[in-house]
Amino acid sequence: MKIAILGYGTVGRGTYDILQERKNRLEDQVELEVKKVLMLEKEVATCGLDKALVSTDYQEILDDPEIECIVEVTGAKKQGFLFMKEALEAKKHVVTANKAVVSKHFSELNDLADRYQVHFLYEAAVGGGIPILTPLKSQALLNNIDSIEGILNGTCNYILSNMQTKAWGYEETLKKAQDLGFAEADPTDDVEGFDTLRKLVILSSIAQNILVNEDEVALEGISNLGLEDVAYFKDQDLKVKLLASYGKKGDDSYSLIVEPVLIGRDHPLYNVDGETNAITLHGHNVDQLTFMGPGAGKYPTGNAVVCDLIDVARGSDLPLKFGDKTQSAENNIQAAYYISSDQDLNLPEDWFSNEGEKIDGHRARTKALPRDSVIGTLENLRKAGQKIFFARLG
Ligand SMILES: NC(=O)c1ccc[n+]([C@@H]2O[C@H](COP(=O)([O-])OP(=O)(O)OC[C@H]3O[C@@H](n4cnc5c(N)ncnc54)[C@H](OP(=O)(O)O)[C@@H]3O)[C@@H](O)[C@H]2O)c1
Protein backbone atom coordinates (compact mmCIF):
# COMPACT_ATOMS: atom_id res chain seq x y z
CA MET A 1 0.00 0.00 0.00
CA LYS A 2 1.38 3.37 -1.00
CA ILE A 3 1.02 6.10 1.61
CA ALA A 4 1.29 9.87 1.87
CA ILE A 5 2.27 11.36 5.23
CA LEU A 6 0.75 14.84 5.74
CA GLY A 7 2.93 16.83 8.16
CA TYR A 8 6.59 16.11 8.82
CA GLY A 9 6.87 17.07 12.48
CA THR A 10 7.27 14.87 15.57
CA VAL A 11 4.73 12.17 14.69
CA GLY A 12 5.28 12.37 10.91
CA ARG A 13 9.00 11.80 11.36
CA GLY A 14 8.43 9.02 13.91
CA THR A 15 6.08 7.25 11.50
CA TYR A 16 8.46 7.63 8.57
CA ASP A 17 11.49 6.41 10.57
CA ILE A 18 9.68 3.32 11.88
CA LEU A 19 8.51 2.38 8.39
CA GLN A 20 12.12 2.63 7.14
CA GLU A 21 13.70 0.88 10.11
CA ARG A 22 11.22 -2.04 10.09
CA LYS A 23 10.98 -2.27 6.28
CA ASN A 24 12.49 -5.74 5.98
CA ARG A 25 10.55 -7.18 8.88
CA LEU A 26 7.28 -5.63 7.69
CA GLU A 27 7.71 -6.87 4.12
CA ASP A 28 7.04 -10.45 5.27
CA GLN A 29 3.52 -9.45 6.33
CA VAL A 30 2.46 -6.31 4.58
CA GLU A 31 3.75 -3.86 1.99
CA LEU A 32 3.84 -0.28 3.23
CA GLU A 33 5.62 2.34 1.14
CA VAL A 34 5.76 6.08 1.71
CA LYS A 35 5.27 7.68 -1.72
CA LYS A 36 4.94 11.32 -0.63
CA VAL A 37 5.43 13.48 2.45
CA LEU A 38 3.43 16.70 2.43
CA MET A 39 5.12 19.62 4.15
CA LEU A 40 5.13 23.39 4.16
CA GLU A 41 7.39 25.16 1.66
CA LYS A 42 9.58 26.55 4.48
CA GLU A 43 10.39 22.98 5.66
CA VAL A 44 11.54 21.53 2.32
CA ALA A 45 15.16 22.70 2.34
CA THR A 46 15.92 21.26 5.79
CA CYS A 47 13.73 18.13 5.87
CA GLY A 48 16.57 15.78 4.86
CA LEU A 49 14.33 13.70 2.57
CA ASP A 50 14.88 12.81 -1.07
CA LYS A 51 13.21 15.61 -3.05
CA ALA A 52 11.18 13.03 -5.06
CA LEU A 53 9.37 12.13 -1.83
CA VAL A 54 8.45 15.68 -0.92
CA SER A 55 5.29 17.50 -1.91
CA THR A 56 3.92 20.89 -0.96
CA ASP A 57 0.73 20.42 -2.99
CA TYR A 58 -2.04 18.28 -1.46
CA GLN A 59 -3.94 18.13 -4.74
CA GLU A 60 -1.02 16.19 -6.24
CA ILE A 61 -1.50 13.55 -3.49
CA LEU A 62 -5.29 13.46 -3.89
CA ASP A 63 -4.94 13.05 -7.65
CA ASP A 64 -2.40 10.23 -7.40
CA PRO A 65 -4.34 6.95 -7.83
CA GLU A 66 -1.39 4.97 -6.49
CA ILE A 67 -1.66 6.59 -3.07
CA GLU A 68 -4.27 4.55 -1.23
CA CYS A 69 -3.87 5.93 2.28
CA ILE A 70 -3.06 9.26 3.89
CA VAL A 71 -1.56 9.71 7.36
CA GLU A 72 -2.77 13.07 8.69
CA VAL A 73 -0.33 14.32 11.33
CA THR A 74 -0.24 18.06 10.68
CA GLY A 75 -1.92 18.92 14.01
CA ALA A 76 -3.95 21.55 12.14
CA LYS A 77 -7.60 21.68 13.23
CA LYS A 78 -9.46 23.18 10.25
CA GLN A 79 -6.99 22.14 7.53
CA GLY A 80 -6.47 18.71 9.09
CA PHE A 81 -10.23 18.06 8.91
CA LEU A 82 -10.33 19.18 5.27
CA PHE A 83 -7.36 16.95 4.40
CA MET A 84 -9.14 13.95 5.90
CA LYS A 85 -12.54 14.74 4.39
CA GLU A 86 -11.10 15.19 0.91
CA ALA A 87 -9.04 11.99 1.19
CA LEU A 88 -12.09 9.93 2.25
CA GLU A 89 -14.15 11.45 -0.57
CA ALA A 90 -11.34 10.45 -2.96
CA LYS A 91 -11.72 6.88 -1.58
CA LYS A 92 -8.41 6.93 0.24
CA HIS A 93 -8.02 5.39 3.69
CA VAL A 94 -7.22 7.81 6.52
CA VAL A 95 -5.01 7.27 9.56
CA THR A 96 -4.61 10.19 11.96
CA ALA A 97 -3.30 11.18 15.40
CA ASN A 98 -5.38 14.37 15.43
CA LYS A 99 -7.66 14.02 18.49
CA ALA A 100 -9.05 17.54 18.12
CA VAL A 101 -10.41 16.72 14.68
CA VAL A 102 -11.57 13.19 15.51
CA SER A 103 -13.41 14.37 18.64
CA LYS A 104 -15.11 17.26 16.86
CA HIS A 105 -15.91 15.55 13.54
CA PHE A 106 -16.16 11.91 14.63
CA SER A 107 -19.60 11.37 13.10
CA GLU A 108 -18.88 13.00 9.74
CA LEU A 109 -15.53 11.30 9.20
CA ASN A 110 -16.84 7.91 10.30
CA ASP A 111 -19.85 8.26 7.99
CA LEU A 112 -17.64 9.26 5.04
CA ALA A 113 -15.41 6.24 5.58
CA ASP A 114 -18.51 4.05 5.65
CA ARG A 115 -19.99 5.67 2.54
CA TYR A 116 -16.80 5.34 0.48
CA GLN A 117 -15.94 1.92 1.95
CA VAL A 118 -12.50 2.92 3.19
CA HIS A 119 -10.79 2.69 6.59
CA PHE A 120 -10.61 5.53 9.10
CA LEU A 121 -8.30 4.85 12.06
CA TYR A 122 -6.96 7.07 14.86
CA GLU A 123 -5.29 4.86 17.50
CA ALA A 124 -2.61 7.49 18.20
CA ALA A 125 -5.25 10.11 19.05
CA VAL A 126 -5.85 8.64 22.53
CA GLY A 127 -3.03 7.55 24.80
CA GLY A 128 -0.27 8.19 22.20
CA GLY A 129 1.68 4.94 22.12
CA ILE A 130 -0.81 2.88 24.19
CA PRO A 131 -2.88 0.45 22.13
CA ILE A 132 -6.30 1.29 23.58
CA LEU A 133 -8.83 2.07 20.83
CA THR A 134 -8.33 -1.15 18.87
CA PRO A 135 -8.84 -3.36 21.97
CA LEU A 136 -11.68 -1.12 23.20
CA LYS A 137 -13.58 -1.63 19.93
CA SER A 138 -13.58 -5.39 20.36
CA GLN A 139 -14.20 -5.25 24.14
CA ALA A 140 -17.19 -2.96 23.52
CA LEU A 141 -18.65 -5.58 21.17
CA LEU A 142 -18.46 -8.22 23.89
CA ASN A 143 -18.98 -6.21 27.06
CA ASN A 144 -21.23 -3.58 28.53
CA ILE A 145 -18.50 -1.09 29.37
CA ASP A 146 -19.90 0.60 32.47
CA SER A 147 -16.91 2.74 33.43
CA ILE A 148 -13.68 4.18 32.07
CA GLU A 149 -11.15 6.24 33.99
CA GLY A 150 -8.05 7.63 32.41
CA ILE A 151 -4.98 9.76 32.89
CA LEU A 152 -4.91 10.98 29.30
CA ASN A 153 -2.63 14.00 29.30
CA GLY A 154 1.08 13.58 29.95
CA THR A 155 1.67 17.29 30.50
CA CYS A 156 -0.86 17.47 33.33
CA ASN A 157 0.36 14.25 34.89
CA TYR A 158 3.98 15.45 34.74
CA ILE A 159 2.99 18.72 36.44
CA LEU A 160 0.87 17.06 39.13
CA SER A 161 3.44 14.34 39.88
CA ASN A 162 6.32 16.79 40.18
CA MET A 163 4.38 19.28 42.29
CA GLN A 164 3.64 16.38 44.65
CA THR A 165 7.00 14.64 44.78
CA LYS A 166 9.35 17.63 44.45
CA ALA A 167 7.14 20.35 45.98
CA TRP A 168 7.75 22.60 42.95
CA GLY A 169 5.15 25.36 42.41
CA TYR A 170 2.69 25.20 39.51
CA GLU A 171 4.40 27.84 37.34
CA GLU A 172 7.86 26.41 38.00
CA THR A 173 6.74 22.87 37.09
CA LEU A 174 4.97 24.08 33.95
CA LYS A 175 8.15 25.90 32.88
CA LYS A 176 10.21 22.73 33.41
CA ALA A 177 7.67 20.75 31.35
CA GLN A 178 7.97 23.33 28.56
CA ASP A 179 11.80 23.23 28.70
CA LEU A 180 11.70 19.43 28.43
CA GLY A 181 9.29 19.59 25.48
CA PHE A 182 6.35 17.95 27.34
CA ALA A 183 4.28 21.13 27.32
CA GLU A 184 3.41 23.52 24.49
CA ALA A 185 4.38 27.20 24.62
CA ASP A 186 0.62 27.82 25.04
CA PRO A 187 -0.36 25.07 27.50
CA THR A 188 -4.09 25.94 27.69
CA ASP A 189 -5.36 22.87 25.82
CA ASP A 190 -3.48 20.60 28.21
CA VAL A 191 -3.74 22.26 31.64
CA GLU A 192 -7.36 23.38 31.25
CA GLY A 193 -8.33 19.82 30.29
CA PHE A 194 -9.50 20.32 26.68
CA ASP A 195 -7.08 17.69 25.34
CA THR A 196 -8.28 15.19 27.98
CA LEU A 197 -11.91 16.02 27.17
CA ARG A 198 -11.40 15.22 23.47
CA LYS A 199 -9.89 11.85 24.32
CA LEU A 200 -12.78 11.09 26.70
CA VAL A 201 -15.25 11.88 23.90
CA ILE A 202 -13.51 9.36 21.63
CA LEU A 203 -13.22 6.65 24.31
CA SER A 204 -16.79 6.97 25.58
CA SER A 205 -18.25 7.07 22.07
CA ILE A 206 -16.51 3.80 21.21
CA ALA A 207 -17.37 2.24 24.60
CA GLN A 208 -21.09 2.94 24.20
CA ASN A 209 -21.32 2.74 20.41
CA ILE A 210 -23.07 6.10 20.31
CA LEU A 211 -21.66 9.50 19.45
CA VAL A 212 -20.89 11.67 22.44
CA ASN A 213 -20.59 15.46 22.03
CA GLU A 214 -17.80 17.58 23.47
CA ASP A 215 -20.33 19.85 25.21
CA GLU A 216 -21.65 16.93 27.27
CA VAL A 217 -18.41 16.76 29.28
CA ALA A 218 -18.11 18.61 32.61
CA LEU A 219 -14.64 20.16 32.60
CA GLU A 220 -12.19 21.54 35.16
CA GLY A 221 -8.42 21.85 34.69
CA ILE A 222 -5.46 21.96 37.05
CA SER A 223 -4.11 25.49 36.74
CA ASN A 224 -5.40 26.70 40.15
CA LEU A 225 -3.58 24.00 42.13
CA GLY A 226 -1.26 25.39 44.82
CA LEU A 227 1.52 23.92 46.94
CA GLU A 228 -0.61 24.16 50.09
CA ASP A 229 -3.18 21.89 48.44
CA VAL A 230 -0.49 19.41 47.50
CA ALA A 231 0.92 19.39 51.06
CA TYR A 232 -2.55 18.49 52.40
CA PHE A 233 -2.92 15.64 49.89
CA LYS A 234 0.48 14.27 50.91
CA ASP A 235 -0.58 14.38 54.58
CA GLN A 236 -3.69 12.39 53.71
CA ASP A 237 -1.67 9.87 51.64
CA LEU A 238 -3.60 10.90 48.53
CA LYS A 239 -2.49 11.86 45.02
CA VAL A 240 -4.23 14.34 42.77
CA LYS A 241 -4.72 13.31 39.14
CA LEU A 242 -6.57 14.93 36.25
CA LEU A 243 -8.97 12.07 35.52
CA ALA A 244 -11.27 11.58 32.58
CA SER A 245 -14.23 9.59 33.89
CA TYR A 246 -17.05 7.94 32.03
CA GLY A 247 -19.71 6.13 34.03
CA LYS A 248 -22.85 4.37 32.86
CA LYS A 249 -25.93 5.40 34.86
CA GLY A 250 -28.84 3.08 34.12
CA ASP A 251 -30.24 2.77 30.59
CA ASP A 252 -30.83 6.46 29.92
CA SER A 253 -27.73 8.33 30.88
CA TYR A 254 -24.02 8.39 31.53
CA SER A 255 -21.63 10.77 33.23
CA LEU A 256 -18.65 12.37 31.48
CA ILE A 257 -16.37 14.37 33.74
CA VAL A 258 -12.83 15.69 33.41
CA GLU A 259 -11.64 17.14 36.71
CA PRO A 260 -8.91 16.75 39.36
CA VAL A 261 -9.57 13.69 41.51
CA LEU A 262 -7.90 12.63 44.77
CA ILE A 263 -7.05 8.95 44.74
CA GLY A 264 -5.61 6.61 47.36
CA ARG A 265 -3.13 3.74 47.13
CA ASP A 266 -5.87 1.22 46.33
CA HIS A 267 -6.78 3.02 43.08
CA PRO A 268 -5.43 1.36 39.89
CA LEU A 269 -4.05 4.70 38.62
CA TYR A 270 -2.30 5.71 41.87
CA ASN A 271 1.17 4.74 40.66
CA VAL A 272 0.84 6.29 37.19
CA ASP A 273 3.23 9.22 37.47
CA GLY A 274 5.16 11.62 35.25
CA GLU A 275 4.20 11.85 31.59
CA THR A 276 2.81 8.29 31.55
CA ASN A 277 -0.83 7.78 30.54
CA ALA A 278 -3.14 4.99 31.68
CA ILE A 279 -6.71 3.94 31.09
CA THR A 280 -8.72 1.55 33.19
CA LEU A 281 -12.08 0.20 32.06
CA HIS A 282 -14.69 -2.14 33.45
CA GLY A 283 -16.72 -4.53 31.34
CA HIS A 284 -19.19 -7.16 32.55
CA ASN A 285 -17.17 -10.07 31.08
CA VAL A 286 -13.58 -8.89 31.39
CA ASP A 287 -14.00 -7.17 34.75
CA GLN A 288 -11.24 -4.57 35.05
CA LEU A 289 -8.57 -3.94 32.42
CA THR A 290 -5.78 -1.37 32.69
CA PHE A 291 -3.71 -0.07 29.77
CA MET A 292 -0.61 1.96 30.55
CA GLY A 293 2.30 3.47 28.64
CA PRO A 294 3.77 6.54 26.98
CA GLY A 295 1.00 8.97 26.08
CA ALA A 296 3.12 10.88 23.60
CA GLY A 297 6.51 11.05 21.88
CA LYS A 298 7.93 10.66 18.40
CA TYR A 299 8.36 6.88 18.35
CA PRO A 300 5.54 5.71 20.68
CA THR A 301 3.04 7.79 18.71
CA GLY A 302 4.59 6.89 15.34
CA ASN A 303 4.34 3.26 16.45
CA ALA A 304 0.58 3.63 17.02
CA VAL A 305 0.21 5.19 13.56
CA VAL A 306 2.08 2.29 11.93
CA CYS A 307 -0.13 -0.23 13.81
CA ASP A 308 -3.13 1.44 12.18
CA LEU A 309 -1.41 1.31 8.78
CA ILE A 310 -0.91 -2.44 9.17
CA ASP A 311 -4.61 -2.86 10.02
CA VAL A 312 -5.59 -0.78 6.99
CA ALA A 313 -3.31 -2.69 4.62
CA ARG A 314 -4.58 -6.03 5.95
CA GLY A 315 -8.20 -4.80 6.10
CA SER A 316 -8.34 -6.08 9.66
CA ASP A 317 -9.85 -3.19 11.59
CA LEU A 318 -13.31 -3.24 13.14
CA PRO A 319 -15.34 -0.41 11.60
CA LEU A 320 -17.64 1.50 13.96
CA LYS A 321 -21.37 1.63 13.26
CA PHE A 322 -22.72 4.05 15.84
CA GLY A 323 -26.24 3.38 17.11
CA ASP A 324 -29.06 5.90 17.60
CA LYS A 325 -28.46 8.22 20.51
CA THR A 326 -31.19 7.61 23.07
CA GLN A 327 -29.02 8.54 26.07
CA SER A 328 -27.40 11.77 27.21
CA ALA A 329 -24.92 12.94 29.81
CA GLU A 330 -26.06 13.49 33.39
CA ASN A 331 -23.09 14.77 35.38
CA ASN A 332 -24.81 15.56 38.67
CA ILE A 333 -23.07 12.71 40.48
CA GLN A 334 -22.92 12.52 44.27
CA ALA A 335 -19.36 13.15 45.47
CA ALA A 336 -17.30 14.72 48.24
CA TYR A 337 -14.94 17.56 47.25
CA TYR A 338 -11.73 19.14 48.50
CA ILE A 339 -11.96 22.92 47.96
CA SER A 340 -9.43 25.69 48.46
CA SER A 341 -9.54 29.44 47.90
CA ASP A 342 -7.04 32.28 47.97
CA GLN A 343 -9.51 34.10 50.25
CA ASP A 344 -11.75 33.25 53.22
CA LEU A 345 -13.90 30.31 52.20
CA ASN A 346 -17.50 30.49 53.37
CA LEU A 347 -19.34 27.34 52.34
CA PRO A 348 -22.82 26.21 53.44
CA GLU A 349 -22.76 24.66 56.95
CA ASP A 350 -24.77 21.64 55.83
CA TRP A 351 -21.89 20.63 53.51
CA PHE A 352 -20.06 19.41 56.62
CA SER A 353 -22.62 17.65 58.84
CA ASN A 354 -21.13 14.37 60.20
CA GLU A 355 -18.51 13.96 57.46
CA GLY A 356 -16.35 16.61 55.86
CA GLU A 357 -13.94 18.99 57.51
CA LYS A 358 -13.09 22.68 57.51
CA ILE A 359 -9.32 22.31 57.27
CA ASP A 360 -8.66 26.00 57.92
CA GLY A 361 -10.16 29.36 56.92
CA HIS A 362 -9.61 28.82 53.19
CA ARG A 363 -9.60 25.04 52.72
CA ALA A 364 -12.31 22.43 53.27
CA ARG A 365 -13.35 18.87 52.52
CA THR A 366 -17.11 18.43 52.10
CA LYS A 367 -19.39 15.47 52.70
CA ALA A 368 -20.84 13.75 49.60
CA LEU A 369 -23.03 16.26 47.78
CA PRO A 370 -24.74 16.61 44.38
CA ARG A 371 -21.96 17.81 42.05
CA ASP A 372 -24.16 20.50 40.46
CA SER A 373 -24.72 22.27 43.78
CA VAL A 374 -20.97 22.26 44.55
CA ILE A 375 -19.99 23.58 41.12
CA GLY A 376 -22.78 26.19 41.16
CA THR A 377 -21.59 27.57 44.50
CA LEU A 378 -17.93 27.56 43.43
CA GLU A 379 -18.77 29.34 40.16
CA ASN A 380 -20.40 32.12 42.20
CA LEU A 381 -17.30 32.41 44.40
CA ARG A 382 -15.17 32.67 41.25
CA LYS A 383 -17.45 35.36 39.86
CA ALA A 384 -16.90 37.23 43.14
CA GLY A 385 -13.15 37.17 42.43
CA GLN A 386 -11.93 34.14 44.40
CA LYS A 387 -9.27 31.82 42.94
CA ILE A 388 -10.74 28.38 43.61
CA PHE A 389 -9.17 24.93 43.26
CA PHE A 390 -11.28 21.82 43.73
CA ALA A 391 -10.80 18.09 43.45
CA ARG A 392 -13.26 15.23 43.78
CA LEU A 393 -12.53 12.61 46.42
CA GLY A 394 -12.27 9.46 44.32
N1 LIG B 1 3.60 14.71 19.54
C1 LIG B 1 3.02 13.70 20.15
O1 LIG B 1 3.62 12.99 20.95
C2 LIG B 1 1.59 13.36 19.83
C3 LIG B 1 0.96 12.32 20.53
C4 LIG B 1 -0.36 11.97 20.20
C5 LIG B 1 -1.02 12.67 19.22
N2 LIG B 1 -0.40 13.71 18.59
C6 LIG B 1 -1.13 14.43 17.54
O2 LIG B 1 -0.42 14.26 16.32
C7 LIG B 1 -0.57 15.40 15.50
C8 LIG B 1 0.81 15.90 15.09
O3 LIG B 1 1.51 16.26 16.25
P1 LIG B 1 3.07 16.61 16.20
O4 LIG B 1 3.52 16.63 17.62
O5 LIG B 1 3.76 15.75 15.22
O6 LIG B 1 3.01 18.12 15.65
P2 LIG B 1 4.24 18.94 15.03
O7 LIG B 1 5.53 18.45 15.57
O8 LIG B 1 3.88 20.38 15.16
O9 LIG B 1 4.19 18.51 13.49
C9 LIG B 1 3.20 18.93 12.58
C10 LIG B 1 3.93 19.38 11.33
O10 LIG B 1 2.98 19.59 10.29
C11 LIG B 1 3.25 20.88 9.73
N3 LIG B 1 2.04 21.41 9.12
C12 LIG B 1 1.07 22.18 9.67
N4 LIG B 1 0.12 22.47 8.75
C13 LIG B 1 0.51 21.86 7.61
C14 LIG B 1 -0.05 21.80 6.31
N5 LIG B 1 -1.18 22.44 5.99
N6 LIG B 1 0.61 21.09 5.35
C15 LIG B 1 1.78 20.46 5.65
N7 LIG B 1 2.36 20.48 6.87
C16 LIG B 1 1.72 21.17 7.83
C17 LIG B 1 3.75 21.70 10.89
O11 LIG B 1 4.41 22.87 10.46
P3 LIG B 1 4.40 24.16 11.45
O12 LIG B 1 5.11 23.72 12.69
O13 LIG B 1 5.11 25.21 10.71
O14 LIG B 1 2.96 24.49 11.70
C18 LIG B 1 4.68 20.70 11.54
O15 LIG B 1 5.92 20.63 10.88
C19 LIG B 1 -1.39 16.39 16.32
O16 LIG B 1 -2.75 16.29 15.94
C20 LIG B 1 -1.21 15.92 17.75
O17 LIG B 1 -2.31 16.25 18.59
C21 LIG B 1 0.88 14.06 18.87
Side-chain angles (χ1 to χ4, degrees):
M1 181 171 76
K2 291 195 169 46
I3 300 157
I5 297 175
L6 319 183
Y8 199 54
T10 307
V11 183
R13 283 169 194 260
T15 303
Y16 181 83
D17 289 355
I18 293 169
L19 287 170
Q20 302 317 304
E21 188 220 338
R22 305 299 292 176
K23 200 174 174 44
N24 293 342
R25 183 70 179 82
L26 278 167
E27 262 168 14
D28 295 342
Q29 299 283 340
V30 64
E31 200 188 314
L32 296 173
E33 182 191 332
V34 179
K35 185 166 181 197
K36 286 286 172 197
V37 178
L38 183 78
M39 61 186 73
L40 301 172
E41 194 66 57
K42 63 177 184 184
E43 299 171 300
V44 175
T46 54
C47 71
L49 292 176
D50 186 319
K51 293 292 171 282
L53 268 182
V54 174
S55 173
T56 55
D57 175 11
Y58 186 48
Q59 198 57 46
E60 178 196 5
I61 289 168
L62 279 181
D63 291 343
D64 186 338
E66 274 193 1
I67 295 177
E68 290 178 69
C69 179
I70 64 125
V71 173
E72 191 286 321
V73 281
T74 63
K77 292 189 177 118
K78 217 166 164 184
Q79 189 59 58
F81 168 64
L82 291 175
F83 282 158
M84 290 189 238
K85 184 170 182 286
E86 287 169 5
L88 293 168
E89 287 168 344
K91 297 192 177 166
K92 296 185 193 295
H93 310 294
V94 169
V95 170
T96 187
N98 197 328
K99 53 247 177 182
V101 169
V102 177
S103 159
K104 190 156 178 226
H105 302 281
F106 210 173
S107 168
E108 188 173 354
L109 294 171
N110 201 57
D111 287 352
L112 282 173
D114 187 43
R115 186 180 320 154
Y116 293 104
Q117 290 295 294
V118 288
H119 300 280
F120 168 50
L121 288 177
Y122 34 82
E123 178 64 76
V126 179
I130 307 172
I132 171 65
L133 301 185
T134 304
L136 179 61
K137 282 180 193 170
S138 49
Q139 295 311 326
L141 264 187
L142 306 175
N143 289 266
N144 301 324
I145 309 280
D146 50 36
S147 70
I148 299 179
E149 273 193 315
I151 293 174
L152 302 176
N153 185 278
T155 305
C156 285
N157 209 40
Y158 173 88
I159 292 173
L160 296 175
S161 300
N162 281 290
M163 283 182 73
Q164 290 177 125
T165 53
K166 309 217 170 77
W168 295 340
Y170 174 81
E171 292 299 338
E172 185 188 357
T173 319
L174 172 60
K175 172 83 175 51
K176 283 198 172 26
Q178 285 167 325
D179 291 347
L180 289 166
F182 299 144
E184 304 280 336
D186 176 359
T188 312
D189 260 14
D190 292 327
V191 299
E192 300 305 345
F194 298 107
D195 178 79
T196 302
L197 175 152
R198 292 170 188 138
K199 294 165 178 170
L200 181 61
V201 165
I202 298 170
L203 286 170
S204 56
S205 295
I206 296 174
Q208 303 186 86
N209 201 39
I210 56 168
L211 275 155
V212 162
N213 298 320
E214 292 185 351
D215 60 11
E216 291 183 86
V217 184
L219 175 66
E220 174 71 16
I222 64 164
S223 59
N224 287 342
L225 178 68
L227 275 177
E228 219 183 8
D229 303 315
V230 167
Y232 175 75
F233 307 153
K234 198 171 177 190
D235 263 10
Q236 304 291 308
D237 203 18
L238 296 169
K239 281 186 186 172
V240 62
K241 299 286 178 193
L242 184 71
L243 289 194
S245 313
Y246 151 77
K248 184 106 185 91
K249 299 171 86 189
D251 288 336
D252 304 329
S253 66
Y254 45 83
S255 59
L256 290 172
I257 303 175
V258 173
E259 68 185 1
V261 180
L262 293 170
I263 57 177
R265 288 179 188 274
D266 55 348
H267 194 283
L269 303 181
Y270 182 85
N271 286 320
V272 180
D273 290 324
E275 60 280 21
T276 303
N277 281 200
I279 300 115
T280 174
L281 61 85
H282 187 271
H284 77 288
N285 289 322
V286 283
D287 200 25
Q288 186 173 285
L289 295 176
T290 301
F291 302 78
M292 186 163 92
K298 181 178 178 181
Y299 292 116
T301 313
N303 198 74
V305 169
V306 177
C307 286
D308 277 351
L309 288 172
I310 293 171
D311 282 347
V312 170
R314 292 167 55 101
S316 59
D317 75 307
L318 208 52
L320 292 174
K321 302 235 184 255
F322 291 116
D324 291 340
K325 193 168 178 202
T326 55
Q327 304 144 296
S328 56
E330 168 49 80
N331 294 325
N332 193 18
I333 59 167
Q334 191 84 3
Y337 279 87
Y338 166 90
I339 301 164
S340 72
S341 170
D342 61 341
Q343 300 170 34
D344 284 346
L345 189 59
N346 291 309
L347 298 173
E349 278 307 318
D350 62 355
W351 284 17
F352 301 97
S353 41
N354 300 326
E355 312 150 52
E357 180 196 9
K358 288 181 184 172
I359 301 161
D360 56 27
H362 58 276
R363 295 182 298 167
R365 194 168 43 81
T366 74
K367 67 176 187 182
L369 295 163
R371 185 179 187 280
D372 282 358
S373 74
V374 176
I375 303 307
T377 302
L378 298 184
E379 285 308 322
N380 285 335
L381 294 178
R382 281 179 172 165
K383 278 186 200 139
Q386 296 201 30
K387 183 180 171 189
I388 299 282
F389 172 81
F390 67 85
R392 189 170 82 232
L393 282 131

